[in-house]
């Protein structure tokens, strides 16, 4: 923790400079402050945190949610700038495009009033070990660029964009401490609670301390199933815990649960959710699953417990057992909004709306869940995964749209989906409706990232090799880009070669 505190104190020094820069630059603005953010749960959380912080300062603002900060987007943004009387925030995007922003805004338009708060590797940096280059970017882009890698903080694991926006907001006004739960929601959205039993490390754990100390979050142990679905369905359709004979069979799972002698129905006669079960009932289910899994899967009970029992982050101010009570479900809801063209609902909810908009979002969430299930079912049953020697890939065809290709690719590699080889990265490709391009999402399991696989680097290399004038990048385990449709075969072959080289390089 001490290490994290030291890193935070360095980050805070830069945030203090960024705050002064921000306050100096907004003295004479004559238009609302414009926040550009990404459409996923971390992006929406980031936008909401900044929005709330500006609202508190009585500063007018507007938020635009983008699928990515592409070159064309930066160009049109630059074209819109007429004078220097505005201020822009880029959160959860911007670092991977900082040179483009510098060229199009600062150099071409002499526009300097913007701030990047992003946790992705900066443009042209493939690896956090490139310390000299990272330090140089830090020097050259201060004070308008805040990025965790400047302080030896791993942006893919230790802090999300929502965390950076939280620390910036807290620097602006200590009252913004109450935005810490949303920073946790953002970090969960980016799967940063990836340590034992879904715990956090680094700056995320300091943010969690803020939230716990102010009584806003409570961490409890619970079973690793959806808390909101009927328990038999939650177990049968879990993507993380696979139980032969029960998985994908809700009826059989119900019979299994009934044999435990638990009163499985609520007063309305429907099957209880995890939320409706008491501690005793949960304990019975947990023991039965451990026994079942150790017999059927020949696993050590301790391995099963590690998967089965998780930290649940409870937002204490939310209505008990609502979607927003559990940070994981909250984050799921935001993702559902962002990825189904309902980003404004997600932003409003993360900023505190609990009325009409929140009610509307329930349907969005249900449709999103259905879309994910149908997509995964289609991939598994129609055997859509194709293989090269070092990578695997699939096309979304007319089933999986661009906005969820990344989510599906993540589920395939990070959860226990049959037929997926975790020793190879996976690439999902979805044809963009309005352009002749594929959106590409790459994901790699932690075990091969540890061996040296870096998708951000592989994707950038493939783009450079093919002379593609596109921006690509992200993190070692999760990266993306877009490519012209007719380059797809050579793009995938170049990714295959890049991964082969990364693995060879490590072995030698
Ligand atoms: O789009 P997708 O979800 O596949 O992106 C994976 C990660 O890579 C995300 O964190 C995203 O923000 C990042 N990314 C990026 N630059 C791009 C495309 C994706 O930094 N051009």
């Amino acid at each position: 923790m001490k290490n994290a505190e030291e890193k935070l104190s360095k980050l805070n020094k830069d945030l203090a400079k960024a705050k002064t820069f921000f306050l100096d630059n907004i003295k004479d603005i004559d238009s609302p402050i414009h926040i550009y953010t990404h459409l996923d749960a971390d992006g929406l959380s980031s936008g909401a945190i900044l929005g709330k912080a500006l609202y508190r300062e009585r500063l007018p603002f507007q938020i635009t949610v983008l699928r990515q900060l592409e070159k064309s987007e930066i160009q049109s943004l630059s074209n819109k700038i007429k004078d220097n009387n505005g201020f822009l925030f880029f959160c959860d995007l911007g670092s991977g495009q900082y040179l483009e922003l510098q060229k199009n805004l600062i150099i071409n338009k002499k526009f300097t009033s913007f701030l990047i708060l992003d946790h992705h590797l900066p443009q042209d940096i493939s690896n956090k070990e490139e310390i000299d280059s990272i330090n140089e970017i830090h020097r050259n882009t201060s004070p308008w660029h805040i990025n965790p890698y400047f302080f030896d903080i791993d942006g893919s694991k230790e802090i999300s964009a929502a965390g950076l926006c939280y620390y910036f907001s807290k620097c602006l006004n200590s009252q913004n401490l109450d935005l810490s739960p949303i920073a946790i929601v953002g970090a969960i959205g980016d799967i940063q609670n990836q340590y034992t039993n879904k715990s956090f490390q680094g700056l995320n754990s300091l943010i969690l301390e803020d939230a716990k100390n102010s009584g806003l979050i409570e961490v409890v142990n619970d079973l690793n199933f959806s808390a909101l679905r009927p328990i038999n369905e939650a177990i049968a359709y879990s993507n993380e815990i696979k139980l032969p004979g029960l998985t994908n069979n809700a009826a059989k799972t119900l019979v299994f649960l009934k044999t435990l002698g638990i009163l499985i129905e609520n007063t309305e006669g429907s099957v209880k959710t995890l939320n409706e079960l008491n501690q005793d009932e949960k304990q019975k289910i947990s023991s039965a699953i451990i026994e079942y899994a150790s017999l059927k899967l020949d696993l050590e009970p301790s391995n099963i417990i590690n998967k089965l029992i998780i930290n649940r982050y409870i937002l204490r101010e939310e209505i008990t057992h609502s979607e927003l009570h559990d940070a994981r479900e909250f984050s799921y809801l935001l993702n559902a909004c962002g990825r189904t063209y309902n980003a404004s609902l997600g932003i409003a909810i993360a900023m505190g709306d609990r009325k009409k908009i929140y009610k509307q979002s329930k349907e969005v969430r249900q449709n999103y869940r259905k879309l994910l299930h149908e997509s995964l079912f289609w991939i598994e049953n129609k055997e859509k995964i194709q293989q090269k020697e070092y990578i695997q890939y699939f096309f979304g065809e007319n089933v999986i749209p661009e906005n969820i290709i990344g989510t599906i690719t993540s589920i395939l590699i990070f959860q226990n989906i049959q037929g997926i080889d975790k020793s190879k990265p996976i690439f999902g490709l979805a044809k963009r409706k309005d352009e002749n391009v594929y959106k590409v999402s790459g994901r790699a399991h932690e075990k091969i990232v540890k061996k040296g696989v870096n998708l951000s680097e592989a994707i950038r290399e493939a783009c450079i090799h093919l002379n593609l004038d596109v921006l690509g990048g992200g993190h070692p385990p999760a990266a993306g880009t877009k490519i012209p449709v007719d380059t797809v075969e050579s793009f995938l072959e170049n990714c295959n070669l890049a991964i082969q080289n990364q693995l060879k390089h490590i072995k030698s």
Side-chain angles (χ1 to χ4, degrees):
M1 199 69 107
K2 186 163 176 288
N3 197 10
E5 273 160 4
E6 280 165 13
K7 289 177 182 179
L8 175 59
S9 110
K10 286 186 192 157
L11 167 67
N12 271 333
K13 276 191 193 142
D14 262 37
L15 287 174
K17 282 189 214 158
K19 172 185 160 179
T20 310
F21 170 76
F22 168 66
L23 294 177
D24 284 348
N25 275 281
I26 58 163
K27 278 185 187 141
D28 302 315
I29 54 170
D30 56 12
S31 54
I33 292 166
H34 205 137
I35 302 168
Y36 289 90
T37 193
H38 187 217
L39 55 69
D40 67 6
D42 186 35
L44 299 194
S45 301
S46 305
I49 289 173
L50 280 185
K52 199 78 196 270
L54 297 179
Y55 178 79
R56 273 200 173 129
E57 304 305 315
R58 297 173 194 273
L59 293 166
F61 67 94
Q62 71 184 92
I63 301 178
T64 299
V65 177
L66 300 173
R67 53 188 175 197
Q68 244 328 310
L69 189 56
E70 288 166 2
K71 279 193 176 180
S72 53
E73 199 68 54
I74 298 175
Q75 193 58 59
S76 86
L77 209 148
S78 161
N79 292 343
K80 275 189 244 158
I81 289 168
K82 292 193 185 62
D83 47 44
N84 237 334
N85 282 343
F87 194 92
L88 315 178
F89 277 102
F90 297 96
C91 41
D92 200 24
L93 31 80
S95 287
Q97 304 82 8
Y98 87 92
L99 284 168
E100 298 299 314
L101 289 170
Q102 193 171 36
K103 186 175 97 194
N104 284 280
L105 301 185
I106 303 180
I107 300 172
N108 290 354
K109 288 285 171 133
K110 308 281 174 275
F111 179 82
T112 51
S113 299
F114 65 91
L115 197 48
I116 300 172
L117 293 160
D118 190 11
H119 67 136
H120 294 100
L121 283 164
Q123 194 170 351
D124 290 347
I125 298 292
S126 311
N127 196 310
K128 65 177 179 182
E129 320 302 336
E130 293 172 31
I131 296 166
D132 290 344
S133 306
I134 292 174
N135 285 341
E136 197 181 327
I137 296 173
H138 185 193
R139 278 193 302 277
N140 291 342
T141 61
S142 176
W144 50 269
H145 186 187
I146 301 286
N147 184 292
Y149 290 99
F150 296 161
F151 316 98
D152 189 26
I153 300 165
D154 188 328
S156 71
K157 294 177 180 160
E158 297 176 66
I159 192 163
S160 70
L164 290 174
C165 291
Y166 164 68
Y167 278 127
F168 176 75
S169 302
K170 204 172 133 191
C171 180
L172 213 53
N173 181 342
S174 59
Q175 214 191 329
N176 292 324
L177 183 82
D178 65 354
L179 303 177
S180 48
I182 304 298
I184 292 299
V185 169
I188 290 178
D190 269 9
I191 323 177
Q192 296 201 336
N193 57 332
Q194 55 181 256
Y195 299 92
T196 314
N197 303 125
K198 307 243 182 245
S199 61
F200 287 107
Q201 279 194 7
L203 269 68
N204 281 326
S205 47
L206 297 180
I207 299 174
L208 182 64
E209 283 307 301
D210 279 0
K212 282 195 330 196
N213 293 340
S214 41
L216 296 169
I217 282 194
E218 183 186 357
V219 185
V220 297
N221 281 340
D222 204 354
L223 293 176
N224 188 10
F225 296 115
S226 164
L228 302 172
R229 303 187 80 181
I231 184 68
N232 62 319
E233 288 180 22
I235 296 174
Y237 300 115
S238 161
N239 285 325
E240 292 187 63
I241 297 167
K242 297 288 173 193
L243 300 163
L246 301 182
T247 290
N248 289 331
N249 193 335
K252 220 169 152 193
T253 308
L254 187 61
V255 174
F256 168 77
L257 291 169
K258 282 189 171 165
T259 59
L260 302 177
I262 300 170
L263 180 62
I264 221 77
E265 278 154 16
N266 60 26
T267 45
E268 283 140 34
S270 43
V271 178
K272 285 183 183 173
T273 63
L274 194 60
N275 271 340
E276 291 168 315
L277 295 168
N278 62 33
Q279 248 349 89
D280 206 37
E281 291 167 329
K282 285 183 187 178
Q283 185 57 51
K284 273 192 185 158
I285 292 180
S286 139
S287 310
I289 288 181
I290 292 168
E291 196 184 324
Y292 187 92
S294 48
L295 284 174
K296 297 266 178 187
L297 298 170
D298 195 22
L299 285 175
E300 280 296 313
S302 60
N303 288 341
I304 305 164
I305 291 168
N306 273 346
K307 277 196 171 169
L308 192 62
I309 309 296
I310 51 156
N311 287 349
R312 223 177 256 286
Y313 301 94
I314 300 297
L315 274 62
R316 299 183 65 200
E317 308 245 297
E318 301 295 342
I319 296 172
T320 311
H321 301 336
S322 72
E323 285 92 343
L324 309 178
H325 196 224
D326 174 349
R328 179 164 80 159
E329 302 286 349
F330 197 140
S331 151
Y332 187 89
L333 181 69
L334 294 189
N335 241 321
C337 293
R339 295 194 181 274
T340 57
Y341 305 97
N342 291 291
S344 55
L345 296 191
I347 295 268
I349 291 165
M351 285 183 71
D353 186 294
R354 297 292 174 271
K355 293 184 186 145
K356 204 167 147 209
I357 283 187
Y358 171 47
K359 286 196 187 116
Q360 244 173 296
S361 73
K362 294 197 179 205
E363 201 185 320
V364 169
R365 182 178 180 281
Q366 264 169 8
N367 291 341
Y368 178 66
R369 190 182 285 284
K370 202 163 148 250
L371 185 59
L372 293 188
H373 276 293
E374 283 169 0
S375 303
L376 289 168
F377 186 81
W378 176 76
I379 288 185
E380 280 187 88
N381 283 276
K382 303 272 181 198
E383 297 181 2
K384 290 291 169 188
I385 308 293
Q386 304 183 50
Q387 305 289 336
K388 287 192 183 280
E389 198 174 351
Y390 295 94
I391 65 167
Q392 51 198 329
Y393 60 97
F394 67 98
F395 290 91
E397 299 179 28
N398 53 0
V399 176
I400 307 176
E402 170 183 4
N403 276 11
I404 66 155
I405 195 82
T407 311
I408 295 295
T409 315
S410 291
I411 295 175
L412 290 174
I413 210 76
F414 298 126
Q415 302 187 358
N416 290 322
I417 304 289
Q418 264 177 10
I420 301 296
D421 180 354
K422 294 195 177 184
S423 65
K424 287 180 181 179
I426 188 162
F427 292 82
L429 299 102
K431 164 89 179 52
R432 186 171 276 182
K433 263 194 189 151
D434 44 0
E435 281 173 72
N436 211 20
V437 296
Y438 279 115
K439 155 85 188 107
V440 183
S441 280
R443 301 290 186 271
H445 194 270
E446 178 70 11
K447 69 178 183 190
I448 59 169
V449 172
K450 278 192 184 138
K451 284 189 189 158
V453 166
N454 182 333
L455 291 180
S456 181
E457 187 171 55
I459 284 181
R460 275 184 197 163
E461 262 178 40
C463 291
I464 292 170
H465 216 253
L466 295 174
N467 246 329
L468 299 180
D469 186 25
V470 293
L471 294 168
H475 309 288
T481 190
K482 64 169 189 177
I483 54 163
V485 166
D486 59 359
T487 61
V488 67
E489 266 314 314
S490 32
F491 173 81
L492 288 168
E493 196 41 51
N494 274 287
C495 288
N496 190 44
L497 278 174
I499 301 297
Q500 180 186 22
N501 284 336
Q502 289 175 358
L503 291 168
K504 217 192 292 167
H505 181 72
I506 296 302
K507 272 183 208 145
S508 59

